[in-house]
Amino acid sequence: MKTLPLLLFMILLTSVVSGQEINIGFKDSIESKVLNENRKFIVKLPRDYNASERSYPVLYRLDGDMDVYTETVGTINRLVHMDELIPDMIIVMIGNTNRNRDMMPVNTSYFTSDPGADNFIAFIESELIPHINNSYRTTSEKLLCGQSISAIFTFYYFLTHTDSFNSYIACSGGFPDCEDYFIDLTDQFLETEQVKPTCLYMTQGLKDFLDPDGVIKKQLYDFTQRIESKENIVCKMKSYEDEGHVPFQSLYDALRFIYSEN
């Protein structure tokens, strides 16, 4: 599938038409009491937001820098307006301040500071989501997408606050030096009743330079085998034979799958 050239074209198309710059999003921020710092994010509203009275689902994407933002906007535009496979949605890109602190729930050999994942979840739950819901017309449907270390956070969020989002997308995640910790979390998760249907979609590139020996691949395979057995959980892992770390197709394929299941 030759998605990349068309994706780049869509990004440019949404940015510049006839030499005139078009605003495809805007920056906002919150003074977080939970985190005791200012947290920046970017919001992209659907194309017809101001001309309609509709409410929209919200995609929250971690690591919300401009590169990831333009990639996300291009992907959504294609799926909504060209492929007509998903509903239009509000995009919220959450910027980083201290990425490792916010994304890690546990110490590892490469992360020895105080883990901040629980505080970051509290910020999202008690401050960011209420701000978005109060500021824009939103439905109850929410999606969370993380990549690499923020995919570890996405796994943690899914296992500990499953009902917070309808769908979780983890791109090139894994459990580096913390597999036992996540095995214990998964054990606890499997013992709880899951009433609300929830989707977990994972991707990995088989040429990922961070997984030369296939250790993370096996971790994800074992994790998938356990999670997909749970009632009311739809779990899918997509592997890309010729891709490396965080395959660019991940969000596109994840959203196609999620909305084909609905």
Side-chain angles (χ1 to χ4, degrees):
M1 180 176 63
K2 297 182 179 179
T3 305
L4 183 56
L6 183 55
L7 176 61
L8 293 174
F9 172 76
M10 287 302 298
I11 291 171
L12 293 172
L13 183 62
T14 57
S15 301
V16 177
V17 176
S18 300
Q20 295 181 341
E21 183 176 353
I22 294 177
N23 183 3
I24 61 172
F26 53 90
K27 296 179 180 179
D28 198 353
S29 66
I30 292 176
E31 288 295 333
S32 172
K33 295 180 180 178
V34 173
L35 300 174
N36 194 31
E37 62 184 7
N38 182 269
R39 296 304 302 241
K40 294 180 173 63
F41 51 94
I42 305 171
V43 177
K44 165 67 169 65
L45 297 177
R47 185 180 297 178
D48 66 349
Y49 183 87
N50 292 325
S52 76
E53 296 182 356
R54 292 174 50 202
S55 295
Y56 299 86
V58 184
L59 170 67
Y60 291 87
R61 185 148 195 192
L62 304 165
D63 297 326
D65 62 22
M66 287 304 299
D67 288 338
V68 179
Y69 173 71
T70 52
E71 175 187 310
T72 303
V73 170
T75 299
I76 299 298
N77 279 348
R78 169 163 179 154
L79 284 166
V80 173
H81 301 293
M82 297 186 66
D83 298 344
E84 298 182 346
L85 294 175
I86 71 170
D88 212 346
M89 58 186 63
I90 298 169
I91 302 170
V92 179
M93 308 291 298
I94 309 173
N96 292 319
T97 56
N98 186 330
R99 186 179 188 234
N100 286 357
R101 176 202 67 191
D102 290 341
M103 302 305 163
M104 290 303 298
V106 64
N107 291 132
T108 67
S109 58
Y110 70 88
F111 177 76
T112 57
S113 302
D114 291 336
D118 287 323
N119 284 340
F120 196 50
I121 288 175
F123 158 70
I124 293 173
E125 297 273 323
S126 66
E127 295 180 326
L128 180 58
I129 291 176
H131 174 82
I132 297 299
N133 288 342
N134 290 333
S135 301
Y136 309 104
R137 300 190 306 274
T138 62
T139 67
S140 60
E141 183 180 4
K142 302 188 297 294
L143 305 89
L144 180 69
C145 179
Q147 58 186 33
S148 193
I149 189 173
S150 65
I152 299 175
F153 174 80
T154 301
F155 286 136
Y156 182 69
Y157 213 139
F158 167 77
L159 291 170
T160 59
H161 296 74
T162 313
D163 287 340
S164 291
F165 290 84
N166 301 81
S167 302
Y168 295 80
I169 303 168
C171 314
S172 290
F175 313 112
D177 198 32
C178 55
E179 184 175 19
D180 290 342
Y181 176 81
F182 273 93
I183 287 174
D184 290 341
L185 279 182
T186 304
D187 289 340
Q188 298 170 33
F189 170 78
L190 293 173
E191 291 175 357
T192 62
E193 182 181 5
Q194 179 63 29
V195 177
K196 177 182 173 181
T198 305
C199 181
L200 173 63
Y201 191 96
M202 298 167 282
T203 68
Q204 61 166 341
L206 298 184
K207 293 185 178 180
D208 192 335
F209 69 96
L210 294 178
D211 189 32
D213 300 322
V215 173
I216 295 176
K217 175 185 175 183
K218 185 177 186 307
Q219 289 177 353
L220 292 177
Y221 176 80
D222 293 343
F223 179 67
T224 302
Q225 291 289 102
R226 301 190 70 198
I227 295 298
E228 66 184 5
S229 66
K230 188 172 177 65
E231 187 176 6
N232 284 328
I233 295 294
V234 176
C235 180
K236 166 93 172 163
M237 183 173 72
K238 172 84 171 182
S239 297
Y240 300 92
E241 183 176 355
D242 296 322
E243 297 293 336
H245 196 56
V246 188
F248 76 90
Q249 308 101 313
S250 295
L251 181 63
Y252 180 85
D253 289 338
L255 290 173
R256 285 193 60 161
F257 176 81
I258 289 166
Y259 285 98
S260 70
E261 292 293 306
N262 291 341

